[in-house]
Amino acid sequence: MRKIRIAIVGVGNCASSLVQGINFYRGTGANGTGIGLMHREIGSYRPGDIEVVAAFDIDRRKVGLDVSRAIFAPPNCTKVFCEKVNLTGAIVKMGCVFDGYPPHMAGGDPLRTFLPLEKESTREQIIAELKDSCAEIMVNYLPVGSEEATRFYASCALDAGIAFVNNIPVFIASDPVWAKRFADKNLPIIGDDIKAQVGATILHRTLVDLFRKQSVMGERLADENMHVGPSDYVPWQLDNKIAFIRVEGKIFGDVPVKIDVKLRVEDSPNSAGVAIDSIRCCKLALDRGIGGVLHSASAYFSKHPPVQMTDDEAHRAVEQFIRGERDC
Ligand SMILES: NC(=O)c1ccc[n+]([C@@H]2O[C@H](COP(=O)([O-])OP(=O)(O)OC[C@H]3O[C@@H](n4cnc5c(N)ncnc54)[C@H](O)[C@@H]3O)[C@@H](O)[C@H]2O)c1
């Protein structure tokens, strides 16, 4: 069976959930039922066909460890749903720090901050590691705000000749200049900013769509009547995310209606359930010799794709792509 060889950048909570998931769904027992998977197979690829062959981080508690062990090192704190993770053989290598380590983290509680090693790898060493490991897709899981670092690793992916899945809210796939760089090398790219399986994005879109279809909300609201955004980081919540969603409208006869929803969900498995499909779609593009932005996959799996579609349209498009009925 053919494998999908990935290089992970940032071995944090999301990477932990992804690597745990690859092992979890490898089983043929209860896990073999596929609950929690959006696709059991994509093309002929199953989650267990994804192999981590290279990884980069900057934290001294992770660098030097096999990825299967580094994912459980602090400050990672996401839920452990698969305790038995096989050794990958990929040792986490030191990366280049850039803005992945913001100054406000210095001196903080080690259980909540990164502890960077001083000696960084060189760009040449990172590209050599990518080539030597025969990685074919780089999966970006840097911390939010890592603009320079993301551009650095994306340029390493380009120089190593590998595809790029950008899970973080820095514009690469949705930046025409970067998108063209990948297209010029015929390398697939998916992004930006991965969605969650059952997250605040899909939930609020579904509710708003319901209002729209029932004529409860016909027009876009005034800006002062909308608020979307994070409120705070709450340390004791660890990787748990809580979202409050309120949607207000009017039904028949101008009579008001309100929906209040509270979502509580472990953040990292929620996005890893999407990443495991995004990576397999990227591999299909490699197999088919398709490069540049994969628009259907970007629209379905990412919050900020270059071409935004409704969730229904994006779902249809990505299914067509998987069946080979559309190019990108
Ligand atoms: N959890 C979700 O549902 C979700 C959804 C959308 C996007 N994301 C994005 O995924 C990204 C990763 O999230 P997370 O929870 O795993 O973060 P995290 O803080 O747990 O992990 C980030 C990792 O990156 C490492 N790192 C920092 N700078 C680095 C550098 N220069 N080179 C290599 N490694 C470096 C850190 O040491 C850490 O291990 C974030 O940008 C987040 O916004 C997550």
Side-chain angles (χ1 to χ4, degrees):
M1 172 48 87
R2 287 168 306 157
K3 295 290 180 188
I4 307 173
R5 300 167 68 85
I6 65 166
I8 294 178
V9 176
V11 188
N13 280 319
C14 289
S16 174
S17 293
L18 174 66
V19 175
Q20 288 184 58
I22 292 168
N23 283 265
F24 184 83
Y25 288 108
R26 206 172 259 149
T28 47
N31 311 347
T33 59
I35 290 175
L37 278 179
M38 299 195 298
H39 292 90
R40 211 169 153 72
E41 288 191 353
I42 290 189
S44 59
Y45 295 107
R46 292 186 165 213
D49 297 323
I50 301 174
E51 261 184 7
V52 184
V53 296
F56 302 93
D57 205 285
I58 56 163
D59 196 302
R60 67 182 68 141
R61 294 163 293 185
K62 297 175 180 174
V63 174
L65 298 184
D66 187 280
V67 173
S68 59
R69 304 296 176 261
I71 56 172
F72 298 122
N76 289 9
C77 58
T78 190
K79 190 174 174 61
V80 176
F81 59 87
C82 181
E83 282 176 15
K84 198 176 165 304
V85 175
N86 295 339
L87 285 173
T88 61
I91 303 297
V92 180
K93 297 283 161 45
M94 180 60 186
C96 289
V97 179
F98 294 100
D99 46 4
Y101 179 67
H104 70 79
M105 271 200 171
D109 178 349
L111 284 179
R112 311 208 188 287
T113 56
F114 310 143
L115 298 179
L117 277 169
E118 270 168 28
K119 192 165 175 354
E120 299 174 295
S121 293
T122 62
R123 178 187 167 77
E124 290 68 31
Q125 285 170 324
I126 290 173
I127 293 170
E129 172 72 7
L130 292 170
K131 288 186 175 168
D132 293 348
S133 64
C134 298
E136 47 191 350
I137 302 171
M138 180 182 278
V139 179
N140 182 26
Y141 275 134
L142 286 170
V144 71
S146 310
E147 302 237 347
E148 275 179 272
T150 292
R151 287 194 279 269
F152 167 77
Y153 286 107
S155 73
C156 291
L158 279 168
D159 284 355
I162 67 175
F164 196 65
V165 173
N166 184 31
N167 293 328
I168 92 157
V170 171
F171 302 155
I172 300 291
S174 55
D175 176 329
V177 175
W178 277 99
K180 184 170 181 313
R181 284 185 189 148
F182 280 88
D184 286 348
K185 293 206 154 188
N186 203 34
L187 295 169
I189 173 167
I190 298 177
D192 300 306
D193 195 7
I194 193 146
K195 285 183 189 165
Q197 276 183 303
V198 185
T201 302
I202 187 98
L203 193 55
H204 94 265
R205 283 190 188 190
T206 304
L207 290 174
V208 171
D209 194 42
L210 171 74
F211 272 41
R212 195 180 53 77
K213 284 180 178 145
Q214 302 303 324
S215 311
V216 174
M217 195 160 61
E219 308 160 358
R220 188 187 157 87
L221 292 175
D223 284 350
E224 65 269 24
N225 289 330
M226 287 191 282
H227 172 73
V228 180
S231 51
D232 206 353
Y233 165 66
V234 184
W236 67 85
Q237 286 295 330
L238 300 177
D239 195 33
N240 187 36
K241 184 188 228 169
I242 302 178
F244 297 96
I245 301 175
R246 162 169 286 196
V247 191
E248 298 183 10
K250 285 181 180 166
I251 54 163
F252 191 66
D254 237 10
V255 176
V257 57
K258 288 181 188 170
I259 297 182
D260 287 305
V261 178
K262 181 177 178 184
L263 169 75
R264 301 177 69 106
V265 66
E266 190 80 4
D267 213 18
S268 299
N270 209 7
S271 74
V274 177
I276 210 152
D277 282 14
S278 182
I279 290 166
R280 287 183 287 165
C281 283
C282 194
K283 173 66 175 172
L284 282 188
L286 283 169
D287 289 347
R288 295 172 187 167
I290 295 166
V293 175
L294 303 183
H295 285 289
S296 56
S298 295
Y300 192 52
F301 301 128
S302 313
K303 292 180 212 162
H304 196 273
V307 177
Q308 197 62 268
M309 303 180 194
T310 67
D311 293 306
D312 287 341
E313 281 166 354
H315 180 250
R316 263 195 304 278
V318 88
E319 294 300 329
Q320 286 168 346
F321 170 76
I322 291 169
R323 291 194 299 268
E325 293 164 12
R326 67 180 272 160
D327 285 345
C328 68

